[in-house]
Amino acid sequence: MKQTDISDPAYFHKVVDCQWACPAHTPVPEYIRLIAAGRFDDAYMINWKSNVFPGILGRTCDRPCEPACRRGRVEAGAPDGTAAAKAPEPVAICRLKRVAADHKADIRHRLPKRAARKNGKRIALIGAGPASLTVARDLVPLGYECVIYDGDTQAGGMIRSQIPKFRLPESVIDEEVGYILDLGAEFHGGTRIDSLKGLLQGNGSTYDAIFVGSGAPRGRDLDLPGRKEAAKNIHIGIDWLASVSFGHIDKIGKRVIVLGGGNTAMDCCRSSRRLGGEDVKVIVRSGFDEMKASPWEKEDAMHEGIPIINYHVPKAFIHEYGKLTGMLFEKVAAKHDEHGQRQLVPTGEPDVHFPCDDVLIAVGQQNAFPWIERDAGVEFDRHGMPILDKSTFQSTHPRVFFGGDSAFGPKNIIWAVAHGHEAAISIDAFCRDEDLTKRPPPLFNLLSQKMGIHEWSYDNDVTNDARFRVPLKDKVIALKNIKMEVELGFDAAQAYAEAQRCLNCDVQTVFAPKLCIECDACVDICPMDCITFTADGEEQDLRGRLNAPSRNPTQDLYVAGGLKTGRIMAKDEDVCLHCGLCAERCPTGAWDMQKFFFEPAQARDCHRHRPAAPRAALRDAAE
């Protein structure tokens, strides 16, 4: 089998599963260790550099890092009867991010300073959501004049208009959006852009590039019988949430049906409970497990007494003299054909009628670009999405770039941030007449953590604690006020305890074959049977011959040759605890625990001298 090239930063980056899964590649274990040490300011700044909105994302992120967390996989193999085996769960990465934001001091002196002078380039950003704000955050300190336009009077985009205040307080939005505007970004609130051609041709101001971060502002509707007649009490979910957010709506009927199974539907139903809805139901055409809403969003809704009714397809809005009185649904069941494709098939049971006073439609969102003329030079596909270079985010018009939901459809805030970073690199390269496809490399290093014979600079004692629960506001109190935050967040002691569950996956086990005497001491002491010395072979065969067979082909094997007996060392990265016992036990120092720090490049990194040594340093460490 091909030996592992640990000089390639992608290898050890992939081993840090949480950081690999994060679209913005936030150095998760690093900031968790800082939280455990009480260094909240430092933990916040690591987050701010990569994901821009630590306090916001610490409350609202879709958490792609957590399903990837190694802790969940390790606990799945815990002894029967233990708490971990009953409910294996990842580290509460997202809520620890919030801890850094909640417990930090004033960090404004650590933010970038306003550019001493402008570079003469002007960038228009359409929409003041997370993607545009990220682009501005990256480019303004470099001397770019970034002008942000939004139809709403306050910046934040969907962060402000679509996320209920009981999940995300206004003060947190004001603070973190304010950090960016205070860098010198120019915000024009209450200003709608009606013509891309007007921007491109000047309209009194010439822009060197235009970034479109206007989101997916149009909610999907349902064209069913009765829709027009009962329109007064049928609302599009994202529009209704925005009206609630800005104070235009402050009540709803007592009986409410929410259609849809995504996070927007969960926000709609929980908001309805706080605005007078006593009988609130979520009705979904798919199964419970197939719903797009995050598991914790569904749990929160059910905790507040909201039932989720699955496998019901809406057929009609029922009304009397133009007044909505209920909805009619067809019951279906999931059937799979011979190709494994799922279909919803009518059960043949009578249609089901649910009475209601209001209906909120939250069945999806779609992009809307009525302000982009179809002869402006930006081409669209048959679905109405812009045709983009997926690595540079440049459209078919060289001066126009997209990001966030505007680029590839609705996702979430952390994806918008990731898009913003990449688009900022592209805009910077475009304005300097450089090749947009030549992306700057990441910053990374690998440093030994050895402090003594049996001592490391990090805590490698693996705790057996199950995941700690975030405390909640009393439900009776929470449901009385739509602006009262439900989750209270971890205090410092709870945060420390949860941080101890992190396995420090960024502290890598680095093997030096030339030092190995093949005593198998590391094999004997490994608690997970991760390490095997064996004859070489093809990967599939090798995975089956390990001391503990490797069942996850998506995670690589660490393979090193050059041993005196001709055998190879094969280590399964999938369930390694990074406990360091192999390195402690090794009599020759062939194993070492080395912290790998990976930081994706941003626009600022295109303007500074970067040493060319890291790859050589990694290679030397391995040898």
Side-chain angles (χ1 to χ4, degrees), residues 77-308:
D80 291 340
T82 63
K86 292 178 183 176
E89 289 191 279
V91 176
I93 298 169
C94 180
R95 287 340 184 216
L96 286 173
K97 190 192 316 291
R98 172 180 170 175
V99 168
D102 286 355
H103 293 266
K104 73 181 187 313
D106 188 348
I107 50 83
R108 284 175 292 182
H109 64 285
R110 300 181 62 170
L111 301 178
K113 301 295 184 289
R114 289 195 177 208
R117 60 185 180 188
K118 302 292 186 183
N119 62 12
K121 302 294 184 180
R122 302 184 76 238
I123 314 298
L125 299 103
I126 314 306
S132 293
L133 290 169
T134 299
V135 173
R137 200 287 304 264
D138 288 0
L139 293 183
V140 168
L142 300 178
Y144 287 89
E145 184 179 347
C146 290
V147 184
I148 307 173
Y149 296 96
D150 198 285
D152 291 332
T153 57
Q154 293 176 284
M158 58 77 60
I159 293 173
R160 194 179 294 275
S161 65
Q162 293 176 31
I163 301 177
K165 300 303 178 284
F166 59 81
R167 290 181 56 206
L168 178 60
E170 193 94 26
S171 59
V172 179
I173 304 173
D174 291 342
E175 177 188 355
E176 295 193 329
V177 170
Y179 288 155
I180 297 171
L181 298 183
D182 289 345
L183 293 175
E186 184 180 330
F187 175 59
H188 292 268
T191 305
R192 302 190 70 87
I193 298 300
D194 297 320
S195 169
L196 176 63
K197 290 171 72 173
L199 281 178
L200 290 168
Q201 294 165 5
N203 256 8
S205 299
T206 301
Y207 293 104
D208 297 278
I210 295 169
F211 177 78
V212 180
S214 53
R218 179 181 294 168
R220 295 185 186 277
D221 204 342
L222 289 177
D223 186 13
L224 298 174
R227 174 66 178 90
K228 293 179 180 178
E229 292 84 348
K232 183 179 178 181
N233 294 95
I234 302 172
H235 320 277
I236 302 299
I238 61 170
D239 297 338
W240 183 83
L241 286 172
S243 295
V244 172
S245 178
F246 292 116
H248 305 314
I249 289 178
D250 59 6
K251 61 182 178 180
I252 198 166
K254 291 184 178 181
R255 301 172 302 173
V256 181
I257 290 175
V258 178
L259 303 175
N263 287 339
T264 299
M266 300 303 105
D267 286 340
C268 285
C269 69
R270 296 180 69 195
S271 296
S272 296
R273 285 285 280 121
R274 288 158 171 80
L275 295 182
E278 298 175 0
D279 176 12
V280 180
K281 300 180 179 71
V282 175
I283 303 181
V284 191
R285 60 187 300 141
S286 69
F288 184 84
D289 293 335
E290 298 169 303
M291 293 170 60
K292 292 183 178 180
S294 304
W296 50 90
E297 300 283 4
K298 293 186 283 187
E299 290 172 9
D300 289 343
M302 292 186 293
H303 171 72
E304 294 178 356
I306 301 169
I308 298 176

Side-chain angles (χ1 to χ4, degrees), residues 566-588:
R567 297 188 300 171
I568 63 163
M569 184 286 298
K571 174 176 172 287
D572 182 8
E573 299 281 19
D574 188 45
V575 292
C576 174
L577 298 176
H578 296 245
C579 62
L581 288 175
C582 55
E584 289 185 16
R585 186 72 174 82
C586 180
T588 64

Side-chain angles (χ1 to χ4, degrees), residues 193-443:
I193 298 300
D194 297 320
S195 169
L196 176 63
K197 290 171 72 173
L199 281 178
L200 290 168
Q201 294 165 5
N203 256 8
S205 299
T206 301
Y207 293 104
D208 297 278
I210 295 169
F211 177 78
V212 180
S214 53
R218 179 181 294 168
R220 295 185 186 277
D221 204 342
L222 289 177
D223 186 13
L224 298 174
R227 174 66 178 90
K228 293 179 180 178
E229 292 84 348
K232 183 179 178 181
N233 294 95
I234 302 172
H235 320 277
I236 302 299
I238 61 170
D239 297 338
W240 183 83
L241 286 172
S243 295
V244 172
S245 178
F246 292 116
H248 305 314
I249 289 178
D250 59 6
K251 61 182 178 180
I252 198 166
K254 291 184 178 181
R255 301 172 302 173
V256 181
I257 290 175
V258 178
L259 303 175
N263 287 339
T264 299
M266 300 303 105
D267 286 340
C268 285
C269 69
R270 296 180 69 195
S271 296
S272 296
R273 285 285 280 121
R274 288 158 171 80
L275 295 182
E278 298 175 0
D279 176 12
V280 180
K281 300 180 179 71
V282 175
I283 303 181
V284 191
R285 60 187 300 141
S286 69
F288 184 84
D289 293 335
E290 298 169 303
M291 293 170 60
K292 292 183 178 180
S294 304
W296 50 90
E297 300 283 4
K298 293 186 283 187
E299 290 172 9
D300 289 343
M302 292 186 293
H303 171 72
E304 294 178 356
I306 301 169
I308 298 176
I309 300 170
N310 299 97
Y311 293 126
H312 281 63
V313 176
K315 288 187 66 175
F317 297 98
I318 308 302
H319 58 93
E320 293 180 4
Y321 308 107
K323 179 177 175 56
L324 180 72
T325 60
M327 282 199 71
L328 198 63
F329 293 85
E330 180 180 44
K331 295 186 70 173
V332 296
K335 302 290 184 182
H336 292 81
D337 60 23
E338 63 274 14
H339 303 294
Q341 296 294 319
R342 191 215 66 170
Q343 293 181 328
L344 296 176
V345 179
T347 63
E349 299 173 78
D351 290 341
V352 180
H353 175 266
F354 290 105
C356 65
D357 303 307
D358 285 279
V359 171
L360 301 176
I361 302 175
V363 295
Q365 294 169 229
Q366 56 191 351
N367 291 69
F369 303 103
W371 57 279
I372 299 181
E373 299 89 348
R374 290 310 185 255
D375 61 348
V378 175
E379 296 180 16
F380 293 84
D381 63 19
R382 62 189 180 89
H383 300 293
M385 298 296 294
I387 297 174
L388 307 175
D389 183 298
K390 287 182 170 54
S391 64
T392 67
F393 294 86
Q394 187 179 43
S395 73
T396 52
H397 191 297
R399 285 167 56 197
V400 181
F401 300 79
F402 285 73
D405 293 353
S406 296
F408 306 116
K411 284 196 174 182
N412 47 60
I413 299 171
I414 192 63
W415 276 103
V417 169
H419 291 178
H421 287 315
E422 293 297 330
I425 291 173
S426 298
I427 292 170
D428 177 57
F430 175 77
C431 289
R432 293 188 290 115
D433 294 323
E434 294 188 357
D435 186 351
L436 275 62
T437 62
K438 293 183 178 179
R439 315 303 284 181
L443 297 167

Side-chain angles (χ1 to χ4, degrees), residues 549-570:
S550 175
R551 298 186 177 90
N552 181 10
T554 64
Q555 184 62 274
D556 296 331
L557 296 179
Y558 183 178
V559 177
L563 299 172
K564 294 178 178 62
T565 62
R567 297 188 300 171
I568 63 163
M569 184 286 298

